[in-house]
Amino acid sequence: MALRHAVLAALLDEELSGYQLAKAFDMGVANFWHAQPQQLYAELARLEKEGLVDGREVVQDARPNKRLFRVTADGLAELERFAAESAKPSFIRDDLLVKVQAADHLDAGELIARLAERAEFAEAKAAQFVALLKGMRGGRTEAEFLRYGERIGPYLTCRRGLAFERATRDWCREVIDVLRVRSA
Protein backbone atom coordinates (compact mmCIF):
# COMPACT_ATOMS: atom_id res chain seq x y z
CA MET A 1 0.00 0.00 0.00
CA ALA A 2 1.16 3.48 -0.73
CA LEU A 3 0.50 6.58 1.34
CA ARG A 4 -1.74 7.78 -1.49
CA HIS A 5 -4.32 5.09 -0.77
CA ALA A 6 -4.39 5.86 2.95
CA VAL A 7 -4.90 9.56 2.16
CA LEU A 8 -7.67 8.83 -0.34
CA ALA A 9 -9.40 6.57 2.19
CA ALA A 10 -9.16 9.25 4.88
CA LEU A 11 -10.81 11.79 2.57
CA LEU A 12 -13.83 9.64 1.67
CA ASP A 13 -16.21 11.06 4.27
CA GLU A 14 -15.61 14.78 4.02
CA GLU A 15 -13.43 17.57 2.75
CA LEU A 16 -10.39 18.06 4.94
CA SER A 17 -7.57 20.54 5.13
CA GLY A 18 -4.02 19.26 5.38
CA TYR A 19 -4.11 20.03 9.11
CA GLN A 20 -7.38 18.15 9.57
CA LEU A 21 -5.99 15.24 7.56
CA ALA A 22 -2.95 15.09 9.85
CA LYS A 23 -5.29 15.00 12.86
CA ALA A 24 -7.38 12.25 11.24
CA PHE A 25 -4.22 10.26 10.64
CA ASP A 26 -3.10 10.78 14.21
CA MET A 27 -6.38 9.54 15.69
CA GLY A 28 -7.49 6.75 13.41
CA VAL A 29 -5.41 6.02 10.36
CA ALA A 30 -2.15 5.89 12.35
CA ASN A 31 -3.11 2.49 13.73
CA PHE A 32 -2.38 1.06 10.28
CA TRP A 33 -0.41 3.73 8.41
CA HIS A 34 2.00 6.28 9.89
CA ALA A 35 2.87 9.51 8.12
CA GLN A 36 4.41 12.80 9.16
CA PRO A 37 2.38 15.97 8.41
CA GLN A 38 4.91 17.10 5.78
CA GLN A 39 4.49 13.74 4.00
CA LEU A 40 0.72 14.26 3.97
CA TYR A 41 1.01 17.77 2.50
CA ALA A 42 3.36 16.52 -0.22
CA GLU A 43 1.03 13.60 -1.00
CA LEU A 44 -2.00 15.92 -1.21
CA ALA A 45 -0.12 18.04 -3.77
CA ARG A 46 0.74 14.94 -5.84
CA LEU A 47 -2.83 13.62 -5.66
CA GLU A 48 -4.22 16.99 -6.72
CA LYS A 49 -1.77 17.20 -9.63
CA GLU A 50 -2.86 13.70 -10.74
CA GLY A 51 -6.56 14.63 -10.47
CA LEU A 52 -7.28 12.12 -7.69
CA VAL A 53 -8.31 14.88 -5.26
CA ASP A 54 -9.72 18.35 -5.79
CA GLY A 55 -8.51 21.21 -3.64
CA ARG A 56 -10.30 24.47 -3.07
CA GLU A 57 -9.19 27.55 -1.20
CA VAL A 58 -11.31 28.82 1.68
CA VAL A 59 -10.85 32.48 2.59
CA GLN A 60 -10.91 33.02 6.35
CA ASP A 61 -11.13 36.21 8.37
CA ALA A 62 -8.42 36.74 11.00
CA ARG A 63 -6.69 33.49 9.95
CA PRO A 64 -4.67 32.40 6.95
CA ASN A 65 -6.66 30.94 4.07
CA LYS A 66 -6.82 27.15 3.95
CA ARG A 67 -7.24 24.52 1.27
CA LEU A 68 -9.82 21.78 1.59
CA PHE A 69 -9.45 18.53 -0.32
CA ARG A 70 -11.95 15.92 -1.45
CA VAL A 71 -11.67 12.68 -3.42
CA THR A 72 -12.58 12.90 -7.12
CA ALA A 73 -14.24 10.20 -9.21
CA ASP A 74 -10.74 9.28 -10.47
CA GLY A 75 -9.56 9.05 -6.86
CA LEU A 76 -12.40 6.72 -6.00
CA ALA A 77 -11.57 4.64 -9.10
CA GLU A 78 -7.95 4.44 -7.88
CA LEU A 79 -9.18 3.16 -4.50
CA GLU A 80 -11.36 0.59 -6.29
CA ARG A 81 -8.34 -0.56 -8.32
CA PHE A 82 -6.24 -0.77 -5.16
CA ALA A 83 -8.96 -2.71 -3.30
CA ALA A 84 -9.09 -5.26 -6.12
CA GLU A 85 -5.37 -6.09 -5.70
CA SER A 86 -4.28 -8.93 -3.46
CA ALA A 87 -3.26 -7.66 -0.06
CA LYS A 88 0.37 -8.15 0.84
CA PRO A 89 1.12 -9.76 4.20
CA SER A 90 2.25 -7.33 6.87
CA PHE A 91 5.65 -7.54 8.48
CA ILE A 92 6.74 -6.41 11.91
CA ARG A 93 9.70 -4.05 12.18
CA ASP A 94 10.08 -3.21 15.84
CA ASP A 95 13.23 -2.20 17.70
CA LEU A 96 11.81 -3.62 20.93
CA LEU A 97 11.66 -7.07 19.36
CA VAL A 98 15.34 -6.79 18.44
CA LYS A 99 16.08 -6.03 22.11
CA VAL A 100 14.02 -9.01 23.29
CA GLN A 101 15.77 -11.22 20.72
CA ALA A 102 19.04 -10.28 22.45
CA ALA A 103 17.57 -10.65 25.97
CA ASP A 104 20.01 -13.38 27.01
CA HIS A 105 22.90 -10.96 26.57
CA LEU A 106 21.37 -7.73 27.88
CA ASP A 107 20.66 -6.23 31.29
CA ALA A 108 17.24 -7.65 32.22
CA GLY A 109 16.39 -4.56 34.29
CA GLU A 110 16.84 -2.21 31.34
CA LEU A 111 14.88 -4.49 29.06
CA ILE A 112 12.08 -4.77 31.62
CA ALA A 113 11.98 -0.97 31.81
CA ARG A 114 11.64 -0.68 28.02
CA LEU A 115 8.92 -3.34 27.98
CA ALA A 116 7.07 -1.55 30.78
CA GLU A 117 7.22 1.71 28.80
CA ARG A 118 5.79 -0.01 25.73
CA ALA A 119 3.06 -1.72 27.77
CA GLU A 120 2.09 1.64 29.27
CA PHE A 121 2.03 3.28 25.85
CA ALA A 122 -0.09 0.43 24.44
CA GLU A 123 -2.51 0.70 27.37
CA ALA A 124 -2.93 4.44 26.78
CA LYS A 125 -3.40 3.93 23.04
CA ALA A 126 -5.96 1.18 23.71
CA ALA A 127 -7.90 3.59 25.94
CA GLN A 128 -7.92 6.14 23.09
CA PHE A 129 -9.32 3.51 20.74
CA VAL A 130 -12.01 2.54 23.25
CA ALA A 131 -13.09 6.21 23.49
CA LEU A 132 -12.94 6.68 19.73
CA LEU A 133 -15.05 3.56 19.13
CA LYS A 134 -17.59 4.68 21.71
CA GLY A 135 -17.84 8.06 20.02
CA MET A 136 -18.32 6.48 16.60
CA ARG A 137 -21.15 4.29 17.92
CA GLY A 138 -23.01 7.17 19.51
CA GLY A 139 -25.63 5.63 21.79
CA ARG A 140 -25.74 2.33 19.92
CA THR A 141 -24.37 -1.01 21.01
CA GLU A 142 -21.51 -2.36 18.96
CA ALA A 143 -23.77 -4.97 17.35
CA GLU A 144 -26.29 -2.26 16.36
CA PHE A 145 -23.58 -0.04 14.95
CA LEU A 146 -21.98 -2.86 12.98
CA ARG A 147 -25.36 -3.79 11.53
CA TYR A 148 -26.79 -0.32 10.85
CA GLY A 149 -23.98 2.25 11.09
CA GLU A 150 -23.43 4.50 8.09
CA ARG A 151 -19.67 3.93 7.75
CA ILE A 152 -18.14 0.90 9.42
CA GLY A 153 -14.71 0.98 7.71
CA PRO A 154 -13.11 3.42 10.16
CA TYR A 155 -14.77 1.58 13.03
CA LEU A 156 -13.40 -1.77 11.93
CA THR A 157 -9.88 -0.42 11.49
CA CYS A 158 -10.03 1.15 14.96
CA ARG A 159 -11.12 -2.21 16.36
CA ARG A 160 -8.01 -3.72 14.75
CA GLY A 161 -5.90 -0.99 16.32
CA LEU A 162 -7.46 -1.74 19.72
CA ALA A 163 -6.77 -5.46 19.35
CA PHE A 164 -3.18 -4.73 18.31
CA GLU A 165 -2.52 -2.43 21.27
CA ARG A 166 -4.07 -4.87 23.74
CA ALA A 167 -2.01 -7.74 22.31
CA THR A 168 1.14 -5.63 22.53
CA ARG A 169 0.38 -4.71 26.15
CA ASP A 170 -0.29 -8.34 27.08
CA TRP A 171 2.84 -9.60 25.32
CA CYS A 172 5.02 -6.99 27.05
CA ARG A 173 3.62 -7.97 30.44
CA GLU A 174 4.20 -11.66 29.69
CA VAL A 175 7.83 -11.04 28.67
CA ILE A 176 8.38 -8.91 31.79
CA ASP A 177 7.11 -11.79 33.94
CA VAL A 178 9.42 -14.26 32.16
CA LEU A 179 12.45 -11.97 32.57
CA ARG A 180 11.68 -11.35 36.25
CA VAL A 181 11.38 -15.09 36.98
CA ARG A 182 14.63 -15.81 35.13
CA SER A 183 16.42 -12.98 36.96
CA ALA A 184 15.31 -14.15 40.41
Side-chain angles (χ1 to χ4, degrees):
M1 174 172 75
L3 175 59
R4 68 193 296 113
H5 301 114
V7 169
L8 289 170
L11 290 172
L12 285 173
D13 290 328
E14 60 184 324
E15 283 186 310
L16 297 175
S17 68
Y19 175 78
Q20 291 168 317
L21 179 64
K23 289 292 187 191
F25 259 69
D26 192 40
M27 282 306 297
V29 179
N31 80 79
F32 60 89
W33 194 271
H34 177 74
Q36 297 292 332
Q38 60 268 29
Q39 292 173 294
L40 295 173
Y41 286 105
E43 192 61 41
L44 282 169
R46 279 190 290 274
L47 290 169
E48 186 175 24
K49 186 177 179 181
E50 294 175 29
L52 301 178
V53 300
D54 274 335
R56 68 179 177 93
E57 185 139 349
V58 176
V59 177
Q60 301 186 107
D61 293 329
R63 289 210 246 161
N65 295 344
K66 66 179 177 180
R67 288 187 57 74
L68 294 178
F69 298 90
R70 66 176 177 80
V71 176
T72 64
D74 286 345
L76 188 55
E78 171 60 17
L79 273 176
E80 288 283 350
R81 185 202 60 72
F82 170 71
E85 293 177 355
S86 295
K88 296 175 185 167
S90 57
F91 299 95
I92 299 173
R93 281 181 58 156
D94 188 334
D95 62 337
L96 185 59
L97 290 173
V98 174
K99 295 171 186 181
V100 172
Q101 174 74 19
D104 300 308
H105 302 280
L106 301 178
D107 179 310
E110 284 298 318
L111 189 50
I112 287 169
R114 299 300 73 78
L115 287 156
E117 288 171 354
R118 179 68 64 85
E120 187 177 319
F121 176 83
E123 181 68 31
K125 192 79 172 167
Q128 288 178 339
F129 281 123
V130 167
L132 189 57
L133 290 166
K134 184 178 179 183
M136 287 181 189
R137 283 192 312 267
R140 296 184 242 187
T141 67
E142 184 167 80
E144 290 170 334
F145 182 81
L146 291 174
R147 176 88 170 125
Y148 303 109
E150 283 183 32
R151 261 232 334 110
I152 61 164
Y155 190 87
L156 294 171
T157 59
C158 283
R159 278 184 57 189
R160 177 64 181 113
L162 175 60
F164 175 81
E165 294 301 341
R166 285 179 172 166
T168 298
R169 175 204 60 203
D170 295 347
W171 177 82
C172 287
R173 289 175 178 169
E174 179 183 335
V175 174
I176 288 169
D177 291 343
V178 168
L179 292 175
R180 283 186 176 144
V181 166
R182 289 179 61 89
S183 296

